[in-house]
Amino acid sequence: MSDSFGRSSLTSAKPANPDPIRVMVVDDSAVIRGLLTRALEGDTDIRVVTSVGDGQMAVNSLQRNSIDVIVLDIEMPVMDGLTAIPKLLAVAPQVKIIMASTLTLRGADVSIRCLSAGAADYIPKPTSTREIGGAEDFKRELVAKVKALGAAARRAGSRSRGEIRPLSPAYVPLSLKREQAPITTRPAPMGMQVKPDVIAIGSSTGGPQALFEVLSHMKGAVTQPILITQHMPATFTTILAEHITRQCGIDAKEAKDGEPVVQGRCYIAPGDFHMLVAQRGGANVISLTKDPPENFCRPAVDPMMRSILKAYGGRKILACILTGMGQDGLKGCTEVVNGGGTLIGQDEASSVVWGMPGAVAQAGICSAILPLKEIGPYIRKFASRAA
C-alpha cells in the first residue's frame, strides 16, 4: 500500500522499539486494565508485560517479570495499593510506581500516603470507563509519565549494578536530549550573606516526598514565608498542605486569593490556579489566577517566580527547584538569578526525574546542586543566619 506520493505506508510507520519500557497494570477491573493497556501500547516505546487484579497478584507477578513501571490502583480486594507498595519495592527497589487515583478527598489523601510510602507519582483516574476511553489528556499524561519514569527506573537499575546503560533516544526526557555541557554553578550573590526575605520552591514528579524531606528541616528555624508550586490537581493540593503541616510541623496551607503573605507560613499553590505574589496597599498578598497554563501546567513555577521577583526584588530571594518532569521553572528562575537571587537545584542521583532541576543545572544558574538530604539543611542555614 502506498500514499498519494507513491511512498509505502509501511515504511512511514514508526518502527517498534526493540527495548520498550516494560509496564505492569494493576486494577481490580478487567475493563479498566484493558483500557489502560491499549492507551499505553498505543506508543511503540511501551509494552504492557502483565496486568493483574490486586496487590498480591502484582507482588507475585513482579517476582517473575522484569518491570520498569507499575500503574497501580489504590482500592482493590485482597491487597490494596497502599499495602502493596512496600512489598513491591522490596522485590524490585528500582521499579517506579504510579498511583491511579480518583479526584476525591479520600483518593487524594490515600495517594499522598502512597507517595510517602515510596510511590513515584500519581495520575488522576477518570471515574468511568467511558471517560478513560475518551480522555485524550489522561492518555497523554499517562504515557508521558510512564516513559519518563521508565527511563529513570533503568538509570537507577544501572547505577545499582555499577553499569552504564545507554537509553533509547525515544524516551530520554527532552531536558536531557540536548548536548550535555559541563554542569557549572554560579556563586551565591552578596545578598545571601544576610537572610533571604522569601523562599520559593518548585517541584513536580516525586515532589511530595522531596517536599516532606526538605520542609522537615524548617520547623523552629525558618521565619520567612515559603511559597511552593507543586504540579498537582485541585483537591490534592489541599491534602498536600495538611500532610506537610502534620509531617513537618510547620504552618502550611493551600493559598487563598487576597490573603496576606505572612512570616513563617508555607503557601501551596492550589490545583488549576497559578499562585502569584502581588503588592496591594504596601503589603504582599497572594494572587490566584486562571491565566493560561505555562509549560503545559497550571499551577506553574515560572509565573510564581516572576511575581516574587517583582514583589520582593531579586537580592533576597532563595529559590529551589526539586525533582520533576519538563523544565518549568527555568525561565522564572533565570530572571530571579539575574535579578540577584540565589537558586539551588536537586541533583540527578536523588531526583525521581531530573527534568526541572536538570534544566536549571544545565543552564548554569544554580549556586548549588545538592542531594535531596542536603537541601533542607542548606536552606535552613541561609534562612536562619543573622541579618
Side-chain angles (χ1 to χ4, degrees):
M1 182 182 298
S2 59
D3 61 17
S4 59
F5 295 93
R7 298 172 303 202
S8 169
S9 60
L10 295 178
T11 59
S12 63
K14 182 180 179 181
N17 190 323
D19 188 21
I21 298 293
R22 297 168 61 86
V23 178
M24 178 193 299
V25 173
V26 187
D27 196 291
D28 60 332
S29 166
V31 175
I32 297 295
R33 294 199 304 271
L35 289 168
L36 292 175
T37 297
R38 286 192 291 276
L40 290 166
E41 291 197 330
D43 191 296
T44 57
D45 294 324
I46 298 172
R47 179 187 168 203
V48 176
V49 175
T50 181
S51 67
V52 297
D54 63 60
Q56 185 59 61
M57 294 173 69
V59 174
N60 297 341
S61 183
L62 188 60
Q63 293 170 339
R64 301 189 301 269
N65 294 285
S66 174
I67 301 294
D68 300 308
V69 179
I70 300 173
V71 181
L72 183 65
D73 189 20
I74 290 179
E75 296 186 3
M76 297 177 291
V78 183
M79 183 185 292
D80 63 27
L82 180 58
T83 304
I85 289 171
K87 299 178 183 295
L88 292 165
L89 293 174
V91 174
Q94 81 286 349
V95 77
K96 301 301 181 185
I97 300 173
I98 302 175
M99 304 308 302
S101 171
T102 55
L103 285 171
T104 63
L105 283 173
R106 170 172 167 73
D109 182 66
V110 178
S111 293
I112 292 177
R113 288 165 61 194
C114 289
L115 294 172
S116 298
D121 206 353
Y122 62 90
I123 187 164
K125 184 170 68 173
T127 56
S128 71
T129 56
R130 177 185 298 176
E131 290 180 6
I132 290 180
E136 293 303 318
D137 288 346
F138 169 78
K139 294 176 185 176
R140 281 193 294 270
E141 182 179 3
L142 176 64
V143 166
K145 289 188 174 186
V146 164
K147 291 169 77 170
L149 289 171
R154 292 191 174 187
R155 286 195 298 274
S158 296
R159 282 197 299 266
S160 69
R161 295 188 297 271
E163 302 171 357
I164 300 176
R165 180 180 182 181
L167 295 168
S168 163
Y171 48 76
V172 175
L174 289 176
S175 61
L176 301 181
K177 283 187 175 181
R178 58 181 176 267
E179 184 177 349
Q180 298 288 302
I183 302 297
T184 60
T185 56
R186 182 180 298 195
M190 292 299 292
M192 281 298 103
Q193 296 190 21
V194 295
K195 284 186 179 182
D197 289 336
V198 64
I199 297 164
I201 302 175
S203 52
S204 184
T205 307
Q209 309 96 306
L211 288 170
F212 296 144
E213 166 60 32
V214 170
L215 296 175
S216 67
H217 297 273
M218 304 298 105
K219 183 179 180 180
V222 174
T223 59
Q224 296 87 342
I226 303 171
L227 292 100
I228 297 173
T229 289
Q230 159 72 39
H231 297 161
M232 269 188 164
T235 305
F236 278 64
T237 47
T238 303
I239 301 300
L240 175 63
E242 294 174 0
H243 277 260
I244 289 173
T245 298
R246 290 200 301 266
Q247 293 189 36
C248 304
I250 62 176
D251 179 17
K253 62 178 297 185
E254 187 179 60
K256 296 186 182 303
D257 188 60
E259 70 175 318
V261 178
V262 301
Q263 295 290 95
R265 177 168 291 168
C266 177
Y267 299 87
I268 310 295
D272 204 31
F273 286 88
H274 294 308
M275 180 177 70
L276 314 178
V277 178
Q279 292 186 321
R280 297 177 188 167
N284 289 329
V285 302
I286 296 292
S287 174
L288 303 181
T289 79
K290 284 272 195 175
D291 290 343
E294 295 191 29
N295 308 299
F296 307 101
C297 301
R298 191 172 64 203
V301 180
D302 278 337
M304 178 185 74
M305 292 294 182
R306 291 195 302 265
S307 74
I308 292 172
L309 176 62
K310 186 175 181 179
Y312 285 89
R315 184 172 174 266
K316 291 189 177 182
I317 298 172
L318 179 55
C320 176
I321 297 295
L322 300 175
T323 176
M325 289 171 53
Q327 57 180 22
D328 186 26
L330 173 60
K331 293 179 180 178
C333 287
T334 298
E335 292 187 28
V336 166
V337 172
N338 288 340
T342 297
L343 172 65
I344 57 178
Q346 187 173 348
D347 74 354
E348 183 176 10
S350 67
S351 295
V352 174
V353 176
W354 205 55
M356 288 166 53
V360 293
Q362 291 162 3
I365 58 175
C366 296
S367 293
I369 302 164
L370 301 172
L372 179 61
K373 294 285 187 182
E374 296 180 19
I375 292 176
Y378 184 100
I379 293 175
R380 181 182 176 121
K381 171 187 174 182
F382 278 102
S384 59
R385 60 175 47 190

